[in-house]
Amino acid sequence: MLAVRFIVSYTLRKNNSPQRSLNSRPRFQGRRNYVNPGLRIDINRFVNRAQSVTSEDLYSPIHQFSDFAIDPILKRNIEYKKYISPTPIQDQVIPHVLDGKDVIGIANTGTGKTAAFLIPLMNTLVRNKSDKVLIMVPTRELAQQIQSELFSFNNNLYIKSAVCIGGANIRAQMRDLRNNPSFVIGTPGRLKDLIERKVLYLGNFKTVVLDEADRMLDMGFIHDVKEILSLMPTPRQTLLFSATLSPKIEQLTKQFQTNPVKVSVKTRETLEHVAQDIVHVAHQGQKIDVLHNLLTQPDFEKVLIFGETKHGVQELSNALNVRGHKSTAIHGNKNQNARQKALQQFKRNEIRILVATDVAARGLDIPHVSHVINFDIPASYDDYVHRIGRTGRAGNPGKALTFVR
Ligand code: AMP
């Protein structure tokens, strides 16, 4: 199934071999009695033969972009971006957002949900210049990615936006806010800080988007999110996007939304065109040798490697560089400029290997990642799905390998 199998056949577990117990603890310095929750995931769930996308899987949209009642300049910008027809989430969400309704969008990343809210909301702002939109997201990179998508639709529209995220210069953000932007895109902690400093006033924000809401709650932002929402005026339009609809998310929607329309385009739990397999290593120390062998294979063109800790991720990237595999790392110990630089280098194919913590697992759109490698097992199956979702995007084939001991 995988081209690498014959090279590292001694390390790869055959699909039909008996399942191995995963009770051994990972090497981890610092916390005693630490047990990686990922060890409880059945390793068979990391193995999946890729299926080709058949015509039955192809979605026929009800609308074309030309059907939507949106500004002609915005339509032209969509065309210029070469979006031919709406993705399922866009097809089903855009009409409701244009109608001013609250929406719950259940969709994985990579489904085109950014444009599902940006296109209709930009249209609202073209029609009503004094309106304002707040977009709350869990990670800094996602905020920046949303703003760059906004820029790509903004030719001749001149809609102003500001990104307010932690780890970046707050004074520059305060200056941006004084410039009266129509879109404010930020992470909850920094937004709260700016509200407390009285440079961000939410009284005239009539629309709010919670993107990757499940991730925001997982990251402990629930109190900040609730506090910020409670400062917003009513009536308002509240759009919530999440990969899952957990009880906590349902509670949030009950508290802050009014008669929301629910749209779900979630299909299978993993992307079916991602070939998944495990790489069996005898001990922790062998992992780097096995990884080195894999990275020398020609089909490992653009590789995203996930590790568990910030420190471990940096160490692994350093070790790969020493072995001649030019790589960069992205994790919470790096400042935002360094994180953004690493991500851009990887996106632009200036560097072939990116080593990351789960900070890079969600929301990010990185084209043409040939392989995702889980150097460390993820903490939950949900995290696994998000990690491997970075490859095999937009119908392209992808491969995911998980190291297990
Ligand atoms: P997202 O889920 O918003 O991160 O989008 C995933 C990727 O799909 C991005 O690269 C988008 O530019 C792309 N995309 C979104 N909508 C469309 C569309 N209607 N047609 C083609 N590509 C799209």
Side-chain angles (χ1 to χ4, degrees):
M1 181 168 80
L2 290 168
V4 295
R5 174 159 282 173
F6 73 98
I7 303 289
V8 286
S9 56
Y10 66 97
T11 63
L12 282 174
R13 170 185 165 273
K14 295 246 166 27
N15 288 1
N16 57 359
S17 67
Q19 192 193 329
R20 195 173 160 270
S21 153
L22 281 173
N23 288 333
S24 54
R25 286 201 302 170
R27 200 173 63 172
F28 184 83
Q29 290 118 17
R31 274 180 283 166
R32 269 163 187 270
N33 303 323
Y34 175 86
V35 179
N36 182 342
L39 294 183
R40 293 190 213 109
I41 306 170
D42 176 355
I43 58 172
N44 286 315
R45 299 182 86 187
F46 301 143
V47 180
N48 181 49
R49 224 170 257 280
Q51 287 159 31
S52 53
V53 181
T54 66
S55 57
E56 286 156 42
D57 302 321
L58 297 176
Y59 176 82
S60 310
I62 301 164
H63 309 94
Q64 288 303 315
F65 286 115
S66 55
D67 300 334
F68 296 131
I70 54 176
D71 189 89
I73 301 178
L74 190 51
K75 273 191 190 160
R76 214 178 311 136
N77 292 344
I78 296 169
E79 246 174 67
Y80 189 72
K81 206 166 151 57
K82 301 208 165 45
Y83 284 8
I84 312 285
S85 34
T87 65
I89 189 86
Q90 291 162 4
D91 189 34
Q92 295 172 56
V93 160
I94 290 175
H96 295 302
V97 182
L98 288 171
D99 278 352
K101 293 195 179 124
D102 283 2
V103 171
I104 304 172
I106 305 296
N108 290 318
T109 52
T111 53
K113 67 186 162 62
T114 313
F117 61 79
L118 276 185
I119 291 173
L121 295 180
M122 287 178 79
N123 186 67
T124 308
L125 293 180
V126 172
R127 304 249 154 107
N128 214 335
K129 295 237 177 313
S130 61
D131 277 4
K132 283 170 178 291
V133 175
L134 178 69
I135 303 176
M136 268 193 273
V137 297
T139 65
R140 303 160 183 184
E141 283 78 11
L142 184 55
Q144 287 166 323
Q145 187 175 291
I146 291 173
Q147 191 187 39
S148 51
E149 184 135 0
L150 189 152
F151 287 153
S152 72
F153 291 125
N154 204 23
N155 279 346
N156 297 314
L157 290 176
Y158 313 107
I159 295 172
K160 285 192 278 185
S161 59
V163 162
C164 299
I165 52 178
N169 187 332
I170 197 163
R171 304 226 162 264
Q173 293 171 9
M174 289 162 75
R175 209 175 41 234
D176 290 346
L177 288 176
R178 289 197 191 96
N179 203 14
N180 204 20
S182 303
F183 275 96
V184 174
I185 310 162
T187 45
R190 179 54 64 94
L191 290 170
K192 221 183 112 196
D193 194 352
L194 289 160
I195 293 166
E196 280 160 8
R197 288 171 189 240
K198 301 201 183 336
V199 275
L200 176 59
Y201 170 68
L202 296 180
N204 47 0
F205 280 73
K206 291 199 186 125
T207 306
V208 59
V209 180
L210 304 177
D211 194 14
E212 306 268 348
D214 50 346
R215 177 69 167 159
M216 243 169 344
L217 301 198
D218 287 352
M219 288 173 74
F221 283 134
I222 181 79
H223 297 298
D224 288 349
V225 168
K226 283 188 172 177
E227 201 176 323
I228 293 168
L229 287 174
S230 62
L231 293 172
M232 298 193 68
T234 47
R236 60 155 190 270
Q237 187 175 24
T238 306
L239 312 177
L240 179 144
F241 292 87
S242 178
T244 52
L245 193 57
S246 65
K248 270 193 192 163
I249 298 280
E250 293 212 56
Q251 198 242 324
L252 201 65
T253 82
K254 282 200 186 102
Q255 194 176 345
F256 292 102
Q257 289 189 302
T258 313
N259 300 324
V261 178
K262 195 166 132 195
V263 170
S264 178
V265 300
K266 216 173 162 221
T267 47
R268 285 175 45 147
E269 55 184 357
T270 58
L271 303 173
E272 52 196 28
H273 46 279
V274 179
Q276 300 156 55
D277 209 343
I278 58 172
V279 178
H280 194 174
V281 286
H283 54 85
Q284 179 76 15
Q286 197 196 21
K287 280 181 172 181
I288 182 77
D289 294 329
V290 175
L291 182 61
H292 171 84
N293 283 344
L294 291 173
L295 294 174
T296 52
Q297 304 308 306
D299 59 324
F300 282 68
E301 285 164 6
K302 189 166 180 179
V303 186
L304 179 54
I305 302 170
F306 283 104
E308 188 185 341
T309 64
K310 303 172 199 173
H311 185 67
V313 158
Q314 189 58 55
E315 260 188 0
L316 179 58
S317 172
N318 297 347
L320 289 175
N321 286 332
V322 169
R323 286 170 178 248
H325 301 291
K326 198 174 169 208
S327 75
T328 185
I330 160 170
H331 51 74
N333 278 354
K334 274 196 166 180
N335 71 32
Q336 193 51 29
N337 277 348
R339 272 163 67 163
Q340 192 59 15
K341 185 172 168 218
L343 192 61
Q344 290 307 332
Q345 285 177 316
F346 187 60
K347 276 190 178 184
R348 294 192 198 117
N349 301 324
E350 290 160 14
I351 286 188
R352 173 176 82 95
I353 301 163
L354 179 68
V355 191
T357 53
D358 281 294
V359 77
R362 302 249 183 162
L364 297 187
D365 177 39
I366 306 168
H368 312 300
V369 173
S370 65
H371 290 78
V372 165
I373 297 178
N374 293 307
F375 192 78
D376 295 319
I377 292 179
S380 69
Y381 189 68
D382 217 31
D383 286 342
Y384 173 77
V385 172
H386 283 286
R387 285 181 178 188
I388 72 159
R390 303 304 100 208
T391 182
R393 286 166 74 80
N396 294 317
K399 286 177 184 156
L401 295 173
T402 302
F403 282 22
V404 297
R405 285 193 286 145

